[in-house]
Amino acid sequence: MTRAAVPVRGRPGRLDTLRGVAAIIVLVHHVSMTVPQIATAYESSGGVRL
């Protein structure tokens, strides 16, 4: 049997929601790096001024 997700005492549920949103953003970013047109922008340093 599995227990239902119960918020940990003292830890706001909104924090878990924010972590979930952040995880989805990271996942989308990593998946987008598999698209060659997007990945090329990270590999190129042509327009970077030092």
Side-chain angles (χ1 to χ4, degrees), residues 7-20:
V8 177
R9 187 178 195 142
R11 189 166 90 183
R14 290 182 181 170
L15 181 59
D16 288 334
T17 302
L18 183 60
R19 285 182 179 155

Side-chain angles (χ1 to χ4, degrees), residues 9-47:
R9 187 178 195 142
R11 189 166 90 183
R14 290 182 181 170
L15 181 59
D16 288 334
T17 302
L18 183 60
R19 285 182 179 155
V21 170
I24 290 170
I25 291 171
V26 170
L27 179 66
V28 168
H29 177 263
H30 287 164
V31 168
S32 73
M33 293 304 293
T34 64
V35 177
Q37 293 84 0
I38 296 173
T40 303
Y42 285 94
E43 295 172 359
S44 173
S45 59

